[in-house]
Amino acid sequence: MKDNMTAAYLPGNSTVEMRTVPVPAPGHGEVLLRIKASTICGSDIRCIYHEHLGKGPEGYQGVIAGHEPCGQIVAAGEGCRRFKAGDRVIVYHISGCGVCNDCRRGYMISCTSEKYRRAYGWQRDGGMAEFMIAEEKDLIALPDALSYADGAQVACGFGTVFEGLEKIGIDGNHAVLITGLGPVGLATGALCRKLGANKIIGIDVVAERMKIALDLGLCDAVLKSGPDNVTQVKELTGGFGVERAVDCSANNAARATAIRATRKWGNIVFLGEGGTVEFNPSPDMIHDQKTIYGSWVTSTWLMEELVERLVRWNLHPADIITHRFALDRAADAYALMASGKCGKVAVCQDEELK
Ligand SMILES: [Zn+2]
Ligand SMILES: [Zn+2]
């Protein structure tokens, strides 16, 4: 085992700082992971890379970046009950106290303990390094049929989407509108396909993203965002609008489109973080008997079920990764993700870099 490793930090001025730090040793109930794939999230860009915006749960504490890691255990500390060296694992990206009501439901994302709630890559060291310490309770087994790059996107990306889609329900009766075709929007298209959605319509402004959605077959139709979107969606759905809409954009106008382009009795879920929305409750929602859901990340148990479904469906989240970088090129990876001209961007090591 080597003594030192390379790790990436985000000073908050749209740069990446590489440092050499000691390889940590796992404590009680912890494991040391060899990171194989670590993907970049929109929230990393929004809240950390450009500037340190977050407070509370989103406050970046100057730790090693990266909250979407996946790797192989190289050493297990004392007291581990299930996982051991050699196991391939996904990390649920927020480590909670484990004993509050939210943690007991599996939603460590909303752990109420100020002292113990620490997200990887925000308040405790994350995956943009050669190695990382994780708590055993935060681990999900990665099946052999999935790659590490698949696994890196299960917690924050595909997990967040699966949770939202389970809330609104998706099946063959449904036309689905996706506003925002970044990685979360692309994941929505991929999961809606497997859940049997009848028609999938996407909206975005970035040409590269619109093209990826069509090239990967994740949307049946893609619209450039604009004031005619509601009319266009109705034209694509026999004049009715969609039964389900998923906002992955966090954009005011796009959220209003998601609500207005949904037909009577339809469901809408908001996944995109930040921003605002303006709509007229009576005509846009109340009179049409619509329901709007909010959904924040997912739970450890639903992540386990998602992993099982991914294998059953032969669905590989890594398909939406358009660019892979070695760790020493992490700065290029963040800059590309910040440009938006890409699908998912991953920093990889070992077999995942080939
Ligand atoms: Zn994320
Ligand atoms: Zn808790």
Side-chain angles (χ1 to χ4, degrees):
M1 196 68 213
K2 52 200 279 188
D3 294 333
N4 294 311
M5 66 175 187
T6 305
Y9 295 78
L10 301 174
N13 56 359
S14 306
T15 65
V16 175
E17 196 179 306
M18 303 304 293
R19 289 186 212 155
T20 300
V21 296
V23 175
H28 191 273
E30 295 178 339
V31 301
L32 179 69
L33 292 180
R34 168 64 176 176
I35 299 296
K36 302 284 190 177
S38 181
T39 46
I40 301 177
C41 181
S43 64
D44 290 325
I45 302 298
R46 182 171 62 86
C47 302
I48 310 180
Y49 178 69
H50 291 309
E51 52 182 324
H52 296 173
L53 275 187
K55 297 259 187 302
E58 287 194 338
Y60 175 63
Q61 301 299 320
V63 296
I64 298 170
H67 66 267
E68 302 183 351
C70 189
Q72 186 170 31
I73 299 175
V74 290
E78 271 179 60
C80 285
R81 298 174 175 186
R82 173 177 172 186
F83 293 100
K84 59 187 185 309
D87 288 349
R88 307 164 79 241
V89 292
I90 301 167
V91 182
Y92 183 91
H93 49 309
I94 299 96
S95 192
C97 71
V99 288
C100 72
N101 186 274
D102 293 62
C103 283
R104 284 176 167 170
R105 288 172 189 260
Y107 292 84
M108 292 191 285
I109 177 71
S110 47
C111 170
T112 52
S113 166
E114 265 181 46
K115 183 173 174 193
Y116 291 104
R117 184 199 186 280
R118 292 181 302 153
Y120 295 91
W122 299 82
Q123 294 90 28
R124 60 182 292 162
D125 287 337
M128 290 295 173
E130 293 175 67
F131 300 91
M132 181 185 117
I133 294 287
E135 291 185 29
E136 187 192 28
K137 73 174 192 347
D138 306 337
L139 303 178
I140 306 289
L142 177 70
D144 291 342
L146 298 178
S147 68
Y148 292 106
D150 288 327
Q153 292 173 85
V154 167
C156 190
F158 277 66
T160 295
V161 173
F162 193 49
E163 177 85 26
L165 297 182
E166 289 286 285
K167 282 185 179 134
I168 59 174
I170 299 285
D171 63 41
N173 290 312
H174 300 147
V176 182
L177 172 65
I178 305 168
T179 45
L181 295 174
V184 174
L186 297 175
T188 304
L191 286 170
C192 284
R193 278 266 181 261
K194 296 296 185 182
L195 290 165
N198 173 254
K199 180 178 266 187
I200 304 171
I201 303 165
I203 297 180
D204 205 291
V205 276
V206 182
E208 284 83 353
R209 291 188 157 166
M210 297 168 70
K211 185 174 179 327
I212 293 166
L214 288 173
D215 288 351
L216 294 178
L218 304 180
C219 288
D220 299 299
V222 172
L223 305 170
K224 189 165 179 64
S225 61
D228 298 329
N229 285 158
V230 174
T231 308
Q232 292 168 318
V233 171
K234 287 190 175 169
E235 279 168 6
L236 289 165
T237 50
F240 296 113
V242 293
E243 282 79 17
R244 299 287 183 266
V246 184
D247 177 67
C248 307
S249 74
N251 175 275
N252 181 347
R255 280 177 175 145
T257 296
I259 295 168
R260 291 180 181 137
T262 297
R263 70 184 287 175
K264 267 187 189 172
W265 301 101
N267 293 343
I268 300 110
V269 63
F270 284 177
L271 299 180
E273 289 257 31
T276 181
V277 63
E278 205 175 308
F279 64 96
N280 309 104
S282 289
D284 293 336
M285 190 186 156
I286 297 171
H287 298 169
D288 280 350
Q289 313 276 10
K290 298 178 194 174
T291 307
I292 301 176
Y293 291 77
S295 192
W296 195 22
V297 186
T298 189
S299 63
T300 41
W301 66 265
L302 195 68
M303 251 174 81
E304 284 199 321
E305 294 198 359
L306 170 59
V307 162
E308 187 195 321
R309 299 298 186 283
L310 292 175
V311 174
R312 188 189 296 176
W313 291 332
N314 191 28
L315 176 58
H316 291 277
D319 289 350
I320 68 164
I321 294 176
T322 52
H323 299 79
R324 294 183 187 223
F325 293 88
L327 182 59
D328 60 7
R329 290 190 60 209
D332 296 332
Y334 279 93
L336 176 64
M337 187 68 190
S339 79
K341 295 178 177 174
C342 51
K344 195 75 173 174
V345 176
V347 170
C348 298
Q349 296 182 109
D350 307 335
E351 61 266 50
E352 288 292 340
L353 199 54
K354 283 168 196 157

